[in-house]
Amino acid sequence: MADENALESKPAQSIPERPKDAPAAEAGAAPAAEGEKGPSKSALKKAAKEKEKAEKAAKRKAAEEAQKKQQDANDVSANDYGELPMIGSQEYKPSGVSRVTLAQIAEKYNETTPIDEAGGAEVCFRAVVENARNQSAKLSFLVFREALNTIQAVVAASDSLSRQMVKFAGSVPSESIVLVHGLVKKTPEPVKSATISHLEIHVKKLYVVAKADSQLPMQVSDAERPLPLEGEEAKEDESGRPIVTLNTRLNNRVIDLRGKHNRAIFAIKDGVTALFQEFLRNQGFIGIQTPKLLGAPSEGGANVFEVGYFATKAFLAQSPQLYKQMLIAARFERVMEVGPVFRAENSNTARHLTEFTGLDLEMAFEENYHEVVEVLENLMLYIFNGLKTKYKRETDLVRSIYHVEEFKLPEAGKVPRIPFSEGIQMLRDDGLEIGDFDDLSTPDEKRLGALVLKKYGSDFYVLDQFPLNIRPFYTMPSHTAPAHQAGAKDPNSGYSNSYDFFMRGQEILSGAQRIHDAEFLCKRMREHVSPVDPNSDGLRDYVNAFRYGCPPHAGGGIGLERIVMLWLGLPNVRLASLFPRDPNRVMP
Ligand code: ATP
């Protein structure tokens, strides 16, 4: 055992003894001079009384200390509990004791295998105290947590386990980290409050490795309760307990993140990233890292953060768009990136952040941009199916508090791919007044999502061929668009080879075929609804990249936090960001 023999201090030992010759109390000291006559009779009487009182108190204290000392001397568990010295503060002596995880305990002693050892199997593990309570002078209960697992523990007084140890165990503050030696036993009844309900630990030794403050700014259990859904203003949950607001939770994010649901959310987020990279790497994509500090705002000046850069200024990248295309021009053929995206949008909504994680990709295609759309559809299906199989436990855990419908997936190869014009027609048939080339508002998108779900039975679909005038300058116009005709009256009218992907009626991906011809690109930059100068500092190198023979290409940008939010049915995208940034928050 690491430093168990070097227990720093037991609570009992930590009370300093009073030196034998010290004055019992300050009250016994001579009173201050009260004038030439000296103290009055009544003052002397009062002082004598106080001295007597203080002497009695000191005697009582000494008797208590002696009794405690006696008890400590008789504490059979004296070396089996207490606070360990801070790791790193003493010479390292390997304990030689192998430790297990709660997950390993649950797996080894599952519901069907009997525990061979009579009286239980010996284990040693480190865990967090979820809660501890003294049931009586002879019995304490604790719940230990590690990752998503919890297990109940019993500390019972016996000939070999002292009452002092029982008391100590029941008073360990929640969230402290402890080292436990104990026996694993099967429980007569399932323990409802623990995830490992068929087992419990009978504690033999308990050491505090890192003690938590006894007063926490919020409880971990607060993080495991639902927030009100968008538009709802609940102040209490179903049991009448006040809901800790999102603001408080985010202000105390380290404690908040300890909640099991948060743990599951971020395991899923990591899973989406891994599945994204796994799928694309298998398809020949190379991971890239494009710069986030730019010398000029690249995609138009709006929504860009300006930062000081030595004697001049720089701008935070709003997407890797221009760089991933330049890498296609550099003959990389297929690229992907997972990286931060900065948007100086003052959007205080439940789905916008000022810094989010972009899952971006770009690829050259042979004949038609739908080759890329197909890769993107298959990528998303791979991610969804991977989440369903590999992250079922985490998904079910989060969805158990945010009660959302199962995410309905289409069959492979049957992702609804709906032309924008058809989407508009579906909305009109549903009673919405909307122009052919109008952009869809968020409520329109959600309404279309519901119509698609009804018609195609899928929560995931693609809207293809968006109006050209609502897409960025680098978007390839459809072959029917006037932009391809010389001297067209309205070169921004018509459709474009662009698409958005949706989950539960909300956008998760935006993409398009990009213009790969430098001259046509310059023309589109100048005639775009928000024109940009192809010779400007931020765009010159980008445009030049297409002068040396660039293959036709298309790609897309996906919001990682949006996928997590919509997969799980979270009411706010901030819940899918570890330390979210929005117009009102850049801390912690
Ligand atoms: P929206 O219309 O939802 O504001 P957008 O059209 O500005 O999004 P793009 O610039 O095309 O989005 O970005 C690609 C993807 O990045 C979006 O589909 C979305 O998943 C995600 N995304 C965009 N803006 C944000 C944001 N502010 N916070 C979180 N995710 C975002």
Side-chain angles (χ1 to χ4, degrees):
M1 175 66 41
D3 288 349
E4 291 160 24
N5 298 329
L7 289 184
E8 196 172 46
S9 63
K10 295 271 164 41
Q13 290 164 342
S14 64
I15 300 169
E17 280 189 55
R18 185 168 57 80
K20 285 196 181 64
D21 55 352
E26 292 302 323
E34 289 191 359
E36 282 174 15
K37 280 190 193 159
S40 69
K41 250 187 178 179
S42 68
L44 283 172
K45 212 170 156 189
K46 197 176 160 203
K49 247 190 170 169
E50 274 176 9
K51 187 177 173 202
E52 195 184 329
K53 225 166 114 188
E55 278 169 358
K56 269 189 186 163
K59 258 190 188 163
R60 209 170 39 239
K61 198 172 166 200
E64 277 169 16
E65 278 176 6
Q67 194 189 3
K68 205 146 205 298
K69 241 181 162 178
Q70 175 79 25
Q71 277 175 357
D72 281 353
N74 296 337
D75 186 349
V76 288
S77 306
N79 290 319
D80 296 342
Y81 68 97
E83 285 179 42
L84 292 178
M86 183 171 65
I87 287 190
S89 67
Q90 296 200 343
E91 191 190 344
Y92 167 57
K93 292 191 209 99
S95 68
V97 178
S98 57
R99 299 180 188 183
V100 290
T101 62
L102 293 187
Q104 286 168 330
I105 292 176
E107 198 182 340
K108 184 160 179 196
Y109 308 107
N110 63 34
E111 307 206 22
T112 48
T113 38
I115 296 177
D116 300 335
E117 300 84 342
E122 289 244 23
V123 286
C124 171
F125 59 88
R126 195 158 96 175
V128 168
V129 174
E130 189 164 278
N131 59 63
R133 67 189 160 91
N134 286 305
Q135 177 85 353
S136 69
K138 292 185 185 169
L139 188 64
S140 292
F141 285 104
L142 296 97
V143 174
F144 297 130
R145 186 179 69 229
E146 180 205 75
L148 294 182
N149 303 297
T150 54
I151 194 164
Q152 179 174 270
V154 184
V155 189
S158 67
D159 291 347
S160 56
L161 197 151
S162 67
R163 287 179 178 219
Q164 291 97 312
M165 176 165 164
V166 172
K167 191 172 171 198
F168 172 84
S171 323
V172 176
S174 298
E175 292 304 307
S176 299
I177 299 170
V178 288
L179 182 64
V180 184
H181 292 244
L183 296 171
V184 184
K185 293 190 185 184
K186 296 229 163 167
T187 51
E189 293 287 322
V191 182
K192 288 201 188 108
S193 57
T195 63
I196 305 171
S197 57
H198 65 292
L199 299 172
E200 65 184 4
I201 305 292
H202 288 241
V203 173
K204 290 172 73 182
K205 296 180 185 178
L206 182 77
Y207 305 103
V208 174
V209 178
K211 194 170 168 181
D213 284 357
S214 48
Q215 287 291 324
L216 300 178
M218 62 176 271
Q219 300 305 312
V220 173
S221 57
D222 291 329
E224 297 182 342
R225 296 186 300 137
L227 285 174
L229 296 174
E230 204 180 340
E232 273 181 11
E233 280 209 10
K235 298 227 166 23
E236 293 173 346
D237 66 9
E238 286 156 3
S239 64
R241 213 169 124 192
I243 290 179
V244 175
T245 63
L246 179 59
N247 217 23
T248 303
R249 286 178 53 173
L250 296 178
N251 285 342
N252 298 286
R253 193 63 162 154
V254 168
I255 298 179
D256 188 47
L257 287 172
R258 289 180 182 179
K260 285 191 280 295
H261 301 91
N262 271 328
R263 177 70 173 229
I265 289 171
F266 291 99
I268 287 170
K269 190 173 180 183
D270 179 52
V272 174
T273 311
L275 292 162
F276 171 84
Q277 292 173 325
E278 199 173 277
F279 178 87
L280 293 177
R281 208 162 268 134
N282 286 339
Q283 302 266 330
F285 282 74
I286 295 179
I288 55 166
Q289 299 76 33
T290 59
K292 305 304 162 206
L293 274 175
L294 309 181
S298 45
E299 293 181 57
N303 302 342
V304 63
F305 285 112
E306 192 179 304
V307 292
Y309 194 74
F310 304 106
T312 167
K313 56 191 176 189
F315 304 88
L316 296 181
Q318 297 149 281
S319 87
Q321 184 58 37
L322 307 189
Y323 287 93
K324 56 183 187 168
Q325 284 189 256
M326 285 158 84
L327 289 167
I328 297 297
R331 306 272 179 264
F332 275 51
E333 296 289 329
R334 293 179 168 208
V335 294
M336 62 168 163
E337 176 163 11
V338 178
V341 173
F342 303 94
R343 298 276 168 97
E345 287 168 304
N346 205 354
S347 309
N348 289 293
T349 75
R351 55 196 206 108
H352 286 97
L353 297 164
T354 47
E355 179 181 345
F356 65 93
T357 310
L359 303 178
D360 269 271
L361 66 98
E362 203 68 29
M363 65 178 267
F365 62 80
E366 295 293 328
E367 296 184 349
N368 183 274
Y369 77 101
H370 281 158
E371 294 163 34
V372 181
V373 176
E374 200 176 318
V375 170
L376 287 168
E377 287 169 353
N378 290 337
L379 162 69
M380 292 313 301
L381 290 180
Y382 184 82
I383 293 175
F384 296 144
N385 285 316
L387 291 179
K388 258 180 124 172
T389 50
K390 293 187 189 159
Y391 293 86
K392 181 170 172 9
R393 185 178 175 202
E394 287 82 356
T395 299
D396 290 348
L397 181 68
V398 181
R399 287 190 189 163
S400 70
I401 69 162
Y402 293 109
H403 309 285
V404 288
E405 296 288 317
E406 182 71 13
F407 191 85
K408 299 212 176 46
L409 282 175
E411 285 172 41
K414 294 206 174 147
V415 178
R417 197 186 292 168
I418 303 165
F420 187 86
S421 55
E422 193 181 316
I424 294 287
Q425 194 53 50
M426 285 171 77
L427 285 166
R428 281 189 189 142
D429 293 346
D430 195 49
L432 185 75
E433 276 184 34
I434 186 165
D436 282 349
F437 296 98
D438 287 355
D439 203 356
L440 298 178
S441 66
T442 304
D444 295 346
E445 284 180 352
K446 287 186 181 166
R447 188 162 168 180
L448 184 58
L451 295 172
V452 172
L453 178 62
K454 209 160 136 201
K455 186 166 174 187
Y456 297 96
S458 174
D459 272 314
F460 170 55
Y461 70 97
V462 178
L463 212 51
D464 189 19
Q465 288 285 312
F466 270 71
L468 181 62
N469 65 355
I470 55 170
R471 305 301 280 206
F473 61 79
Y474 45 75
T475 309
M476 180 65 86
S478 304
H479 69 279
T480 53
H484 287 295
Q485 294 147 21
K489 212 161 73 195
D490 182 2
N492 290 312
S493 59
Y495 294 97
S496 62
N497 289 353
S498 67
Y499 39 83
D500 278 3
F501 285 29
F502 293 85
M503 283 172 72
R504 299 189 200 271
Q506 295 199 49
E507 180 199 322
I508 52 147
L509 176 153
S510 233
Q513 177 183 347
R514 330 292 187 181
I515 298 169
H516 60 283
D517 177 279
E519 289 320 314
F520 188 54
L521 181 59
C522 290
K523 169 174 139 35
R524 284 298 303 149
M525 285 173 152
R526 292 194 187 99
E527 70 192 16
H528 191 258
V529 283
S530 308
V532 288
D533 178 3
N535 294 314
S536 62
D537 283 350
L539 295 170
R540 197 183 316 109
D541 296 321
Y542 167 72
V543 173
N544 284 341
F546 303 108
R547 297 193 192 281
Y548 324 121
C550 177
H553 60 281
I558 314 172
L560 175 56
E561 290 80 5
R562 289 257 180 106
I563 297 185
V564 176
M565 169 176 92
L566 295 165
W567 174 254
L568 294 171
L570 303 178
N572 197 307
V573 72
R574 288 163 185 77
L575 294 173
S577 172
L578 286 168
F579 296 99
R581 266 65 184 122
D582 65 29
N584 299 309
R585 178 180 289 282
V586 277
M587 276 187 256

